[in-house]
């Protein structure tokens, strides 16, 4: 905890956060369906939280328009679109899905995706028994472009509550393995989703102190490296 920082207390807490799986569907497609995706153990107050990472063609501005999880309309929590001149897209979205062990996850984009299609990372977030709702408390995003050998994506501090969780997703074009080195203590997934294009996903349970979300990685040394990172802070209300 930062010195002199006053804790933001929440009377309700997040009881469980579990990284479940990842899946990829090849493109190009405008509507992408991930079929039969594991969404963990059914629970009355289970929320399914997904991170979409995608590599777009330059100047075409790829964005997520909508998403459903098990037929339930999802709320888009935070996004860093592949705007003009950019290749990378990172978007977080969430739906309350109390039943079922698997679900179809359908993402609609504003245009056709690139050949990599759609890559999703799936979490379940469950509040304590006296809580009924998971709410977005804060979000942040950052992008950088570099040709250096080692890059650190250091987002501004994200605000948290005691008993909450921060989830962070980063997509790196023309890079190698990544890991979280800041306030995000658990790296849940880090792998090459396409040749030299790396996704890193992680989370940390929070105490109420602001935290940073740093990802350290090494580029290929051959091409300009592009980074997109999006973090979300969730709470139970």
């Amino acid at each position: 905890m930062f010195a002199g920082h006053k804790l933001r207390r929440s009377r309700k807490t997040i009881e469980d956060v579990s990284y479940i799986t990842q899946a990829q569907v090849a493109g190009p497609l405008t509507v992408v369906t991930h079929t039969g995706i594991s969404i963990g153990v059914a629970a009355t107050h289970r929320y399914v939280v997904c991170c979409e990472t995608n590599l777009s063609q330059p100047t075409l501005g790829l964005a997520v328009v909508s998403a459903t999880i098990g037929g339930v309309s999802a709320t888009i929590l935070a996004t860093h679109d592949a705007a003009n001149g950019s290749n990378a897209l990172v978007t977080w979205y969430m739906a309350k899905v109390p039943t079922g062990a698997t679900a179809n996850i359908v993402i609609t984009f504003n245009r056709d995706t690139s050949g990599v299609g759609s890559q999703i990372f799936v979490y379940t977030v469950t509040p304590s028994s006296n809580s009924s709702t998971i709410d977005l408390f804060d979000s942040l995003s950052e992008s950088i472009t570099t040709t250096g050998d080692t890059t650190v994506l250091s987002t501004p501090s994200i605000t948290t509550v005691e008993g909450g969780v921060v989830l962070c997703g980063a997509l790196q074009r023309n890079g190698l393995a990544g890991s979280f080195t800041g306030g995000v203590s658990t790296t849940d997934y880090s792998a090459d989703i396409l040749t030299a294009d790396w996704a890193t996903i992680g989370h940390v349970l929070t105490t109420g102190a602001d935290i940073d979300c740093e990802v350290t990685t090494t580029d290929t040394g051959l091409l300009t490296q592009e980074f997109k990172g999006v973090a979300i802070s969730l709470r139970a209300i």
Side-chain angles (χ1 to χ4, degrees), residues 186-211:
T186 302
T187 300
D188 295 304
Y189 184 94
S190 184
D192 198 346
I193 63 172
L194 195 65
T195 304
D197 297 314
W198 211 275
T200 305
I201 310 292
H203 80 279
V204 61
L205 295 173
T206 57
T207 63
D210 294 353
I211 64 170

Side-chain angles (χ1 to χ4, degrees), residues 31-43:
V31 179
V32 177
T33 300
H34 296 267
T35 303
I37 302 302
S38 176
I39 56 171
V41 179

Side-chain angles (χ1 to χ4, degrees), residues 107-177:
I107 306 105
T108 301
F109 295 90
N110 62 332
R111 63 165 185 80
D112 283 353
T113 64
S114 64
V116 73
S118 168
Q119 179 91 12
I120 60 170
F121 303 89
V122 180
Y123 285 85
T124 58
V125 179
T126 307
S128 57
S129 58
N130 65 337
S131 304
S132 60
T133 303
I134 298 295
D135 178 59
L136 178 67
F137 186 65
D138 193 19
S139 66
L140 56 83
S141 62
E142 186 173 335
S143 62
I144 57 173
T145 301
T146 181
T147 55
D149 291 333
T150 300
T151 300
V152 176
L153 175 63
S154 180
T155 61
S157 293
I158 189 168
T159 307
T160 77
V161 297
E162 185 177 16
V165 65
V166 166
L167 302 169
C168 186
L171 181 60
Q172 172 198 13
R173 183 169 175 81
N174 300 325
L176 302 175

